[in-house]
Amino acid sequence: MAASALHLRLLPSPPAGVKLQQRRLRSRILRQGGLSRRYSKVVCYYGLTTPPYKLDALEPYMSRRTVELHWGKHHHDYVEGLNKQLATSPLYGYTLEELIKEAYNNGNPLPEYNNAAQVWNHHFFWESMQPEGGGLPEGGVLQQIEKDFGSFTNFREEFIRSALQLLGSGWVWLVLKRNERKLSVVHTRNAISPLAFGDIPIISLDLWEHAYYLDYKDDMLTYVTNFMDHLISWDTVTLRMMRAESFVNLNEPNIPVA
Amino acid sequence: MALRTLASKKTLSLALGGARPLAAAGSARGVTTVTLPDLSYDFGALEPAISGEIMRLHHQKHHATYVANYNKALEQLDAAVVKGDASAVVQLQGAIKFNGGGHVNHSIFWKNLKPISEGGGEPPHGKLGWAIDEDFGSFEALVKKMNAEGAALQGSGWVWLALDKEAKKLSVETTANQDPLVTKGASLVPLLGIDVWEHAYYLQYKNVRPDYLSNIWKVMNWKYAGEVYDNTLA
């Protein structure tokens, strides 16, 4: 509290022409403890994270060439673009997840939103896959899917159907809905991430054409089916579900008796 | 089948959308479905600006799918209207806008392109040429603006050279996904549309959309754009 008050006192009074919205944003950022380059000698930008497998490890379902371009160019360019924006942005100093939520700005995305969300989405996507993935999840993950979708087959079909229903570029997700406390399949347009709605992403599949065009051309159905049957990393899902359960109680609340 | 093709080609030369009444193909229903228009050039004729493989897939797969899904949605709509099922009618709007838009947009796009040997890439003359100078400063300024807006478009969509037929003014517009230009304003007439979906360039240009945009001008059919301009304002 004392620290924020100090920050606020040190702030130069905003020039008369500054838009109200910008001023509000800035003070909100300061209140929430966001950093400013003004007070730090260390500058920190985002790096391109590496997929947790060799670039050809997903063949034949996702070619080396596709991963090289998708990771080495598309994902890379989003990182570069974001860093370039952050050099002059009031949103500098956030963690990536907070940055995405803040820049989403209740559905009126700020200029940083697109790059920030796409950096996160791609990182999350690479970790959603593994060589020799696919098949069936085990234990608690399978039970939760059966509970929320009726059966694994239902979940698989709903995921594929949701992907095909997306009209344009975007993503299909398995998310854990915080309020409903259940798993759900959603698709989002362009860079939109379910993080912005407060849901917890468990799996993502990139449905931009650049993700599959070299390998599958217009055949998105085969791409999505192969992802589900051969690439999806249920190991990652298990870890993400374990983490998610520390935020969402999937069982009935157990009220201790005195 | 032969009769069907013949009939569709005949109607095609008349209407931009290539519309044809289903009744002609033997159906009793009153729905008018659309057909995939033929290209007036070979798939490979736009090389090296756009590869033959891209053109083939783009026309035979992507556009053909929009046509099939639009027709399917139209027939479902017809059934829903006949039944008076309002919620089904409303529910079909998304599919109609997307697939109908895909058909409309691509039908224009094929006419916007022309092999270099047949005059593709020749800058506009006549009234459109003058109007471009007046509204954008120069032809080069227009190209630069369309390239910049096309490159900046997030996700899939289109960048247009539009003529506002009421204000008699040119503008550059973008639309998302398969939204046709008319969604941006009822008085807007598309003179040129550039498809910036990744399927339009990815096999050849990969992530470098700006290169696709700068090369497409080499096969642009300005004669067509000039004719639409003249006819609209005539």
Side-chain angles (χ1 to χ4, degrees):
Chain A
M1 235 8 241
S4 335
L6 182 67
H7 278 179
L8 284 174
R9 261 208 312 278
L10 287 173
L11 255 189
S13 49
V18 173
K19 284 184 200 149
L20 183 64
Q21 196 188 354
Q22 282 176 336
R23 226 163 43 216
R24 280 204 189 124
L25 177 66
R26 196 168 185 188
S27 65
R28 190 165 73 218
I29 289 161
L30 284 170
R31 269 202 314 282
Q32 293 173 349
L35 296 175
S36 161
R37 279 170 305 277
R38 187 182 293 275
Y39 305 113
S40 172
K41 292 206 166 20
V42 183
V43 265
C44 221
Y45 293 119
Y46 290 100
L48 177 66
T49 52
T50 314
Y53 35 77
K54 288 192 174 152
L55 300 188
D56 60 2
L58 303 180
E59 292 193 340
Y61 307 106
M62 189 176 286
S63 70
R64 181 195 173 93
R65 185 75 184 124
T66 292
V67 180
E68 272 174 355
L69 279 163
H70 196 174
W71 171 69
K73 298 286 184 185
H74 293 271
H75 188 177
H76 170 268
D77 289 352
Y78 287 121
V79 174
E80 296 278 296
L82 176 62
N83 286 338
K84 210 172 140 192
Q85 286 173 310
L86 287 180
T88 56
S89 165
L91 292 169
Y92 173 86
Y94 273 60
T95 66
L96 192 52
E97 292 196 15
E98 288 301 320
L99 173 56
I100 290 166
K101 287 180 194 169
E102 198 63 35
Y104 185 64
N105 196 24
N106 295 318
N108 304 293
L110 301 173
E112 295 87 347
Y113 179 80
N114 191 61
N115 284 322
Q118 286 293 65
V119 169
W120 192 94
N121 292 346
H122 281 91
H123 170 77
F124 193 82
F125 173 54
W126 301 126
E127 302 211 327
S128 295
M129 296 182 289
Q130 66 173 62
E132 286 160 49
L136 278 178
E138 289 174 2
V141 172
L142 182 59
Q143 281 171 17
Q144 191 65 37
I145 287 176
E146 288 174 340
K147 182 174 164 221
D148 293 335
F149 294 95
S151 68
F152 180 79
T153 312
N154 284 357
F155 157 69
R156 183 179 172 280
E157 282 171 7
E158 189 174 332
F159 192 88
I160 294 171
R161 190 169 54 238
S162 180
L164 295 181
Q165 280 169 352
L166 178 80
L167 308 176
S169 302
W171 299 80
V172 59
W173 308 80
L174 173 65
V175 298
L176 182 62
K177 296 248 175 209
R178 256 180 223 264
N179 296 333
E180 292 90 335
R181 297 189 294 140
K182 63 180 286 209
L183 292 169
S184 181
V185 170
V186 295
H187 58 239
T188 59
R189 286 202 167 172
N190 294 346
I192 306 290
S193 154
L195 280 178
F197 321 128
D199 293 330
I200 302 176
I202 303 294
I203 279 292
S204 73
L205 173 60
D206 194 338
L207 297 178
W208 285 55
E209 287 172 320
H210 65 234
Y212 61 87
Y213 211 82
L214 297 182
D215 297 334
Y216 297 94
K217 310 292 189 301
D218 63 311
D219 186 5
M220 193 216 266
L221 173 62
T222 307
Y223 164 65
V224 178
T225 310
N226 279 342
F227 170 82
M228 191 49 82
D229 296 344
H230 302 286
L231 293 177
I232 192 170
S233 173
W234 292 113
D235 294 345
T236 301
V237 171
T238 304
L239 292 171
R240 288 174 178 166
M241 284 296 286
M242 285 166 68
R243 178 181 171 276
E245 279 190 79
S246 55
F247 299 98
V248 179
N249 183 3
L250 293 172
N251 303 305
E252 289 307 311
N254 192 4
I255 303 164
V257 184
Chain B
M1 197 57 213
L3 189 70
R4 230 168 117 155
T5 324
L6 209 77
S8 69
K9 272 188 180 159
K10 202 175 155 194
T11 7
L12 257 175
S13 55
L14 298 172
L16 174 74
R20 131 186 105 83
L22 243 193
S27 162
R29 239 203 251 111
V31 182
T32 301
T33 55
V34 298
T35 50
L36 182 66
D38 290 327
L39 300 186
S40 64
Y41 39 82
D42 292 337
F43 293 133
L46 303 178
E47 289 187 353
I50 304 175
S51 77
E53 193 188 7
I54 288 179
M55 289 302 292
R56 184 178 58 78
L57 283 161
H58 203 170
H59 183 260
Q60 298 285 296
K61 297 284 188 177
H62 293 276
H63 191 168
T65 305
Y66 295 126
V67 166
N69 289 338
Y70 179 57
N71 287 339
K72 202 169 98 190
L74 280 184
E75 290 181 16
Q76 288 169 340
L77 178 71
D78 188 48
V81 169
V82 168
K83 265 196 274 172
D85 185 346
S87 100
V89 169
V90 173
Q91 196 260 324
L92 283 163
Q93 301 305 308
I96 289 172
K97 185 180 181 191
F98 183 74
N99 294 297
H103 171 60
V104 168
N105 294 344
H106 285 90
S107 298
I108 298 167
F109 185 59
W110 308 132
K111 292 177 185 241
N112 287 154
L113 302 174
K114 206 179 196 110
I116 296 173
S117 60
E118 294 171 25
E122 253 175 52
H125 303 293
K127 288 180 194 151
L128 176 59
W130 290 110
I132 287 171
D133 286 348
E134 190 164 315
D135 290 336
F136 299 101
S138 68
F139 176 69
E140 290 70 28
L142 166 66
V143 168
K144 209 174 148 191
K145 188 170 167 63
M146 285 187 72
N147 286 352
E149 298 212 5
L153 192 143
Q154 286 167 8
S156 303
W158 292 76
V159 53
W160 304 93
L161 171 60
L163 168 64
D164 188 323
K165 62 184 174 193
E166 319 257 285
K168 300 189 177 16
K169 223 172 147 46
L170 299 170
S171 63
V172 172
E173 305 285 340
T174 58
T175 56
N177 301 324
Q178 292 299 354
D179 293 358
L181 180 61
V182 71
T183 58
K184 281 287 179 103
S187 61
L188 295 180
V189 176
L191 303 184
L192 289 181
I194 301 178
D195 189 345
V196 292
W197 279 62
E198 287 169 325
H199 67 232
Y201 61 87
Y202 207 79
L203 291 180
Q204 190 176 351
Y205 294 96
K206 310 297 187 300
N207 60 309
V208 197
R209 193 193 281 178
D211 284 357
Y212 158 69
L213 287 168
S214 54
N215 280 344
I216 202 168
W217 299 105
K218 295 175 187 161
V219 289
M220 200 57 87
N221 184 357
W222 282 104
K223 194 163 167 281
Y224 168 79
E227 282 166 13
V228 177
Y229 182 85
D230 292 342
N231 293 340
T232 307
L233 296 185

